[in-house]
Amino acid sequence: MRQTNTAPRNNKLKPSSNLIMNGSVRVRVIRTLLAIQNGQSLASVLDPLLNSLHDGDKGFAHALLLTTLRQWHALARLLDTLADNPIDEVEVRTTIQVGLVQLLYLEVADHAAIHETVEAAKEIEFSHATGLINAILRKVAKNPSKFRKKCDKKHSLPNWLAYQLKQDWSEQYDELTQGLRHAAPMFLRVNSAVSSVEDYQQVLDGAEIDADIVELTTGFNLPNASDTAIATTLSTKGLRLHQSTAVNALPDFAFGVASVQDMHAQLAAPIINKALMAKIRADKSNTDIDSEANNNELHILDACAAPGGKLAHWLELISANNESSLFHVKQDDAEETPVITDIKVTAIDNEAPRIERIRENLQRLNLSQHDLQQAEKSVALNIVCADATRWQHGKNKKAATNEPVFDAILLDSPCTATGVIRRHPDISILRTEEDVEQTALLQADILHNLWPQLKAGGYLLYVTCSILKQENALQMQDFISHHNDAVAIEFTEDCSWGIAQAIGRQCLPIDSESGDGFYYALLHKTMA
């Protein structure tokens, strides 16, 4: 999935410059926050910040930075009520907000929070504001519970986003906007090709890492060979850690036994895999299908694949020696020999560094091309750096038409990533209202380019980590209205996750134990 990354439109910010990591911990956090306001992502500045600090300071710096970002807009509104006159200098506002977080959320001693924040202002050469900073922080320190309540009363989102969420999710609005202010739980996906969720939970227990098994049920109606709907269910299991843990502390993580992946993100590969199984059965049963469709080869596509979590999950399912493997799909009365012997997997993303991330993740999970080859079955993996709005399989960039090649497509679509604000709180600063419209247009371009490359009878799973309907259900409704051969597969009441939409289902990041905000829609391409 590729997120849009647009700098905020704020004329009072200085042009971006290289991030300078020196001075006190608070100074480094302030400079990091200024870099984010100038358009740099949290992902690009977090490691430079932490790597510049001694081990004993990293925990405090991480908490100070992430908490400030999560409460950013609420703190800004509180600050406006505390100052007698508007504070226009972004460096001064940022410094005060860092001080407020220490007093209201991190329980830093008053004298330390105030003194060190004032000193930080001097270090960044804003000594002229130290009196103002000192006065505001001292006022808050006299009654922190009062100001904490004021800060927590409403949302901590930009007003345009809060308004849109109110329009899209009026019934869930209060829970949703409050839920986005908190940290998300850490989930693990266990590599089913080498272990089970139950076995790895025991391994974690031996390492004194507490984790609960989370099981999600997905129900949908898939057409069979006679185009009648068949009720289908599948179960997806993952692990939710009681406390977030560094990956290097997870047993056998380096050997590919487990991956960090949100629980709702873990739904993607099983859904498209199950749908593809239905297509295989339909192809083998339908005597009207031509001989080429009846061969033993499958071709599948993961579009916008980086960093590769969903791709890896799909490859794990393919490689597992159980009922999830596409090599094991057969008719009820068929012999035990697999009906599929060759699977071609194509993965595309449009940025070279992200392609490298895919390769690194697959290598750790022992899912590289070499690892996938086995004597009795073949998986050919091709990773391509390409623009999904124009890329066409097997053709040059100037080709005017594309042809059906793929049996299934997993489109982890670019989006504004509003569903993962808990994990990436910088999104609420970086995103703008204009980004939503631009992203929806990009999504439509990708869909219109990829759909002709899907074979009749095939499936496309559309996934976003957005909670905005314009990027999700409304996008799907518009797409289907322009494609007569696109039919939305109905998710049934058997689903234990998400909220039913006109098309697809929407997960919302509301409570502290649930997954992130993901949207799923499964489309079937009819024979007509």
Side-chain angles (χ1 to χ4, degrees):
M1 176 195 66
R2 180 168 60 85
Q3 303 172 8
T4 57
N5 186 17
T6 306
R9 282 71 164 171
N10 189 333
N11 295 330
K12 295 177 182 177
L13 296 181
K14 295 181 178 179
S16 292
S17 58
N18 292 331
L19 189 57
I20 300 173
M21 282 302 172
N22 56 29
S24 68
V25 174
R26 290 166 178 81
V27 165
R28 299 182 197 208
V29 170
I30 291 168
R31 286 177 173 153
T32 302
L33 288 165
L34 292 171
I36 290 171
Q37 292 173 82
N38 275 311
Q40 297 188 49
S41 69
L42 175 62
S44 69
V45 297
L46 181 58
D47 283 346
L49 168 65
L50 298 181
N51 292 338
S52 74
L53 297 168
H54 297 296
D55 288 345
D57 293 328
K58 291 182 179 180
F60 174 69
H62 187 270
L64 182 56
L65 175 62
L66 270 292
T67 307
T68 304
L69 287 171
R70 288 193 176 103
Q71 312 304 330
W72 184 262
H73 298 280
L75 289 167
R77 284 187 281 270
L78 176 63
L79 176 54
D80 289 337
T81 69
L82 292 169
D84 294 331
N85 298 301
I87 302 174
D88 293 329
E89 292 173 306
V90 66
E91 294 86 353
V92 176
R93 293 185 66 89
T94 301
T95 301
I96 296 174
Q97 289 182 223
V98 167
L100 291 173
V101 165
Q102 297 170 68
L103 294 172
L104 301 181
Y105 293 97
L106 299 185
E107 299 181 352
V108 176
D110 295 357
H111 66 279
I114 297 171
H115 174 74
E116 294 298 330
T117 303
V118 169
E119 291 300 309
K122 296 176 182 178
E123 284 189 64
I124 63 171
E125 299 181 354
F126 276 79
S127 297
H128 66 275
T130 54
L132 173 65
I133 295 170
N134 182 71
I136 289 176
L137 295 183
R138 286 189 178 279
K139 180 178 181 179
V140 172
K142 292 178 180 179
N143 196 344
S145 61
K146 168 189 171 183
F147 291 104
R148 169 74 183 261
K149 288 179 181 178
K150 289 183 66 174
C151 205
D152 289 346
K153 187 175 181 180
K154 295 184 179 180
H155 61 81
S156 186
L157 296 168
N159 287 330
W160 72 265
L161 180 54
Y163 175 80
Q164 191 58 57
L165 293 180
K166 183 72 170 180
Q167 299 300 305
D168 288 351
W169 307 106
S170 58
E171 293 183 10
Q172 299 86 7
Y173 175 78
D174 290 335
E175 286 183 289
L176 177 58
T177 54
Q178 287 301 315
L180 290 174
R181 301 178 72 160
H182 302 289
M186 181 174 178
F187 293 96
L188 300 180
R189 183 188 80 245
V190 179
N191 187 343
S192 58
V194 297
S195 185
S196 69
V197 171
E198 291 79 9
D199 288 344
Y200 194 66
Q201 184 190 37
Q202 293 183 8
V203 174
L204 290 176
D205 186 60
E208 298 184 342
I209 299 175
D210 295 326
D212 297 323
I213 294 177
V214 179
E215 183 173 5
L216 300 179
T217 301
T218 301
F220 38 38
N221 292 321
L222 295 175
N224 64 6
S226 60
D227 285 335
T228 58
I230 301 297
T232 306
T233 60
L234 64 90
S235 174
T236 304
K237 289 183 179 181
L239 291 168
R240 180 178 56 232
L241 303 188
H242 291 189
Q243 290 186 330
S244 294
T245 304
V247 295
N248 57 14
L250 297 173
D252 298 324
F253 183 84
F255 301 103
V257 177
S259 298
V260 177
Q261 187 179 38
D262 182 76
M263 195 63 220
H264 290 155
Q266 293 184 41
L267 292 165
I271 290 175
I272 190 61
N273 200 60
K274 193 75 170 182
L276 184 52
M277 287 180 173
K279 180 186 184 298
I280 296 170
R281 293 190 181 98
D283 285 355
K284 296 302 174 181
S285 299
N286 195 334
T287 57
D288 293 330
I289 294 181
D290 60 34
S291 59
E292 181 181 357
N294 267 312
N295 63 24
N296 294 328
E297 181 179 280
L298 287 176
H299 201 165
I300 61 181
L301 171 67
D302 186 345
C304 308
K310 298 177 182 67
L311 171 64
H313 194 186
W314 202 356
L315 292 173
E316 289 169 4
L317 295 177
I318 292 172
S319 304
N321 291 315
N322 55 37
E323 67 279 1
S324 70
S325 175
L326 296 174
F327 290 106
H328 293 175
V329 178
K330 58 183 182 298
Q331 297 301 312
D332 294 336
D333 57 350
E335 297 178 358
E336 288 298 320
T337 55
V339 299
I340 298 297
T341 57
D342 296 287
I343 299 176
K344 294 182 178 179
V345 182
T346 301
I348 66 172
D349 205 274
N350 71 337
E351 296 179 7
R354 292 169 62 81
I355 292 290
E356 187 58 31
R357 284 280 307 280
I358 296 176
R359 298 187 189 280
E360 291 172 356
N361 287 332
L362 294 183
Q363 184 174 7
R364 181 184 67 82
L365 293 165
N366 301 310
L367 292 170
S368 64
Q369 178 60 71
H370 174 75
D371 299 316
L372 290 170
Q373 295 298 329
Q374 300 180 27
E376 71 280 8
K377 53 193 179 184
S378 173
V379 179
L381 176 62
N382 185 29
I383 303 175
V384 181
C385 186
D387 182 348
T389 65
R390 298 190 299 271
W391 176 83
Q392 297 177 19
H393 181 269
K395 296 192 175 185
N396 61 50
K397 295 181 179 179
K398 296 181 179 180
T401 61
N402 43 20
E403 296 179 357
V405 177
F406 299 104
D407 296 278
I409 297 176
L410 170 57
L411 173 54
D412 193 6
S413 182
C415 67
T416 54
T418 46
V420 293
I421 285 177
R422 296 184 303 174
R423 301 185 193 279
H424 304 281
D426 56 316
I427 288 170
S428 71
I429 296 176
L430 295 174
R431 295 295 174 267
T432 68
E433 191 170 5
E434 292 78 10
D435 291 334
V436 181
E437 183 68 30
Q438 294 172 6
T439 301
L441 293 173
L442 174 62
Q443 293 170 337
D445 287 344
I446 294 173
L447 282 163
H448 290 308
N449 181 54
L450 295 182
W451 186 253
Q453 301 182 64
L454 180 67
K455 293 179 182 178
Y459 291 88
L460 183 148
L461 181 63
Y462 178 82
V463 186
T464 79
C465 59
S466 170
I467 51 178
L468 299 178
K469 292 190 177 184
Q470 185 174 352
E471 300 174 82
N472 298 336
L474 295 179
Q475 180 72 266
M476 287 292 93
Q477 288 178 303
D478 181 72
F479 178 78
I480 288 178
S481 72
H482 289 88
H483 293 81
N484 294 332
D485 56 352
V487 176
I489 297 298
E490 177 191 1
F491 288 98
T492 67
E493 293 181 357
D494 292 329
C495 286
S496 63
W497 53 271
I499 302 171
Q501 302 296 287
I503 296 176
R505 291 185 76 86
Q506 177 75 59
C507 302
L508 295 178
I510 287 177
D511 62 73
S512 61
E513 296 186 346
S514 69
D516 288 329
F518 276 84
Y519 172 79
Y520 285 93
L522 181 62
L523 303 182
H524 181 230
K525 192 170 188 177
T526 62
M527 299 294 181

